[in-house]
């Protein structure tokens, strides 16, 4: 069973701080990693993807990947109340005809004004 | 807006009734996925299509569930004889499969099903 693990939170940070969200995955052969943001009652919205070890930055968001440790993280700088949401980590599982995202349960982020 | 669309957005039905959901993917995308999400959980894979071919069905998809993508464009997901345990958000996603094997899935707004 391919697994993706996240701390469910809530992770509470003050406005303007850096929020750090973490994710581990079990399949060492995984190559593609994604972070989705999901507001309550809404569908997941893609915010970052990363394929290679190291950091990838996009605006206030930085994704970090360490394949040796099977670890993915998302940093949100200058956190805003509008960032308050559940952040879902997902790994693309490919094998034969199989092609699907495996999601963690999500981390609830609360940014306090 | 050229994103993934789903219809209806909400559906309330009585146990034992049949329901059908529709998904229209992003126009140039050749892959279409169905996921199901219950409260407090991440989305779980149900099935996916490459063009009109259904390539995989999850064991979560009982015989009461059927999905089609007849012309490789829109897709329908039908649930027959609904049960209360079918209550969930049904999410559709689409992607463009690349030769590199990399793909990015974009989700529609979802259909929230409540079975009474």
């Amino acid at each position: 069973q391919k697994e993706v693990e996240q701390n469910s939170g809530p992770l509470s940070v003050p406005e303007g701080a850096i929020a750090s969200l973490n994710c581990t995955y079990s399949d060492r052969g995984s190559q593609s990693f994604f972070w989705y943001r999901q507001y309550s009652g809404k569908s997941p919205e893609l915010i970052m993807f990363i394929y290679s070890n190291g950091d990838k930055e996009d605006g206030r968001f930085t994704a970090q990947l360490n394949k040796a440790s099977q670890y993915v993280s998302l940093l949100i700088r200058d956190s805003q109340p509008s960032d308050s949401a559940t952040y879902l980590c997902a790994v693309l599982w490919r094998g034969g005809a199989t092609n699907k995202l495996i999601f963690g349960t999500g981390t609830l982020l609360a940014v306090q004004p | 807006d050229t994103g993934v669309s789903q219809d209806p957005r909400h559906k309330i039905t009585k146990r034992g009734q049949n329901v059908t959901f529709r998904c229209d993917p992003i126009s140039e995308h050749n892959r279409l996925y169905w996921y199901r999400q219950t409260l407090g959980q991440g989305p779980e894979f149900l099935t996916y299509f490459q063009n009109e071919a259904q390539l995989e069905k999850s064991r979560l998809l009982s015989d009461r569930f059927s999905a089609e993508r007849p012309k490789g464009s829109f897709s329908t997901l039908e649930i027959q004889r609904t049960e209360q345990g079918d209550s969930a958000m049904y999410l559709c996603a689409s992607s463009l499969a690349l030769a590199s094997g990399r793909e990015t899935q974009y989700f529609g707004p979802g259909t929230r099903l409540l079975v009474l």
Side-chain angles (χ1 to χ4, degrees):
Chain A
Q1 177 67 25
K2 311 304 177 185
E3 293 184 346
V4 176
E5 300 286 341
Q6 295 182 256
N7 186 321
S8 61
L11 173 66
S12 183
V13 300
E15 183 174 356
I18 296 175
S20 177
L21 304 160
N22 304 314
C23 171
T24 59
Y25 59 95
S26 63
D27 180 23
R28 187 169 290 278
S30 298
Q31 297 293 321
S32 303
F33 307 88
F34 304 86
W35 284 98
Y36 288 85
R37 176 175 64 198
Q38 187 171 31
Y39 293 111
S40 181
K42 303 297 185 183
S43 65
E45 173 192 5
L46 179 70
I47 53 172
M48 290 287 287
F49 58 87
I50 187 166
Y51 305 125
S52 303
N53 276 330
D55 295 359
K56 179 182 177 183
E57 187 174 319
D58 183 1
R60 296 187 297 112
F61 299 99
T62 299
Q64 299 175 317
L65 175 60
N66 184 325
K67 290 184 179 179
S69 299
Q70 295 175 239
Y71 180 91
V72 192
S73 65
L74 179 70
L75 301 178
I76 306 175
R77 289 180 299 282
D78 187 25
S79 295
Q80 301 297 309
S82 58
D83 295 326
S84 297
T86 296
Y87 289 80
L88 295 163
C89 173
V91 177
L92 184 66
W93 162 235
R94 299 178 67 233
T98 298
N99 207 77
K100 59 190 175 187
L101 288 174
I102 307 296
F103 284 86
T105 55
T107 298
L108 179 61
L109 173 66
V111 181
Q112 307 299 327
Chain B
D1 187 295
T2 57
V4 180
S5 62
Q6 291 186 248
D7 184 71
R9 298 288 297 275
H10 303 273
K11 179 71 177 179
I12 300 174
T13 191
K14 293 181 179 179
R15 184 167 52 91
Q17 298 295 304
N18 299 343
V19 295
T20 300
F21 309 142
R22 176 178 170 127
C23 171
D24 287 88
I26 294 170
S27 59
E28 65 270 23
H29 285 183
N30 55 358
R31 285 190 176 160
L32 186 149
Y33 297 79
W34 287 97
Y35 292 84
R36 179 171 66 187
Q37 187 177 25
T38 54
L39 198 62
Q41 301 298 314
E44 294 178 294
F45 170 81
L46 293 179
T47 189
Y48 95 99
F49 294 84
Q50 177 145 330
N51 300 314
E52 66 275 11
Q54 187 174 20
L55 296 186
E56 188 185 357
K57 292 173 60 173
S58 165
R59 284 171 291 179
L60 292 175
L61 218 61
S62 76
D63 291 344
R64 297 184 297 105
F65 288 71
S66 62
E68 294 183 339
R69 193 183 184 198
K71 297 182 180 179
S73 57
F74 73 93
S75 176
T76 58
L77 177 68
E78 180 182 17
I79 309 174
Q80 296 182 327
R81 305 180 303 281
T82 52
E83 301 173 356
Q84 289 182 325
D86 296 331
S87 297
M89 172 86 90
Y90 289 84
L91 294 162
C92 177
S94 72
S95 70
L96 179 63
L98 301 175
S100 64
R102 293 176 176 174
E103 65 172 270
T104 303
Q105 296 182 25
Y106 297 91
F107 284 84
T111 295
R112 187 172 295 281
L113 173 66
L114 177 61
V115 182
L116 301 176

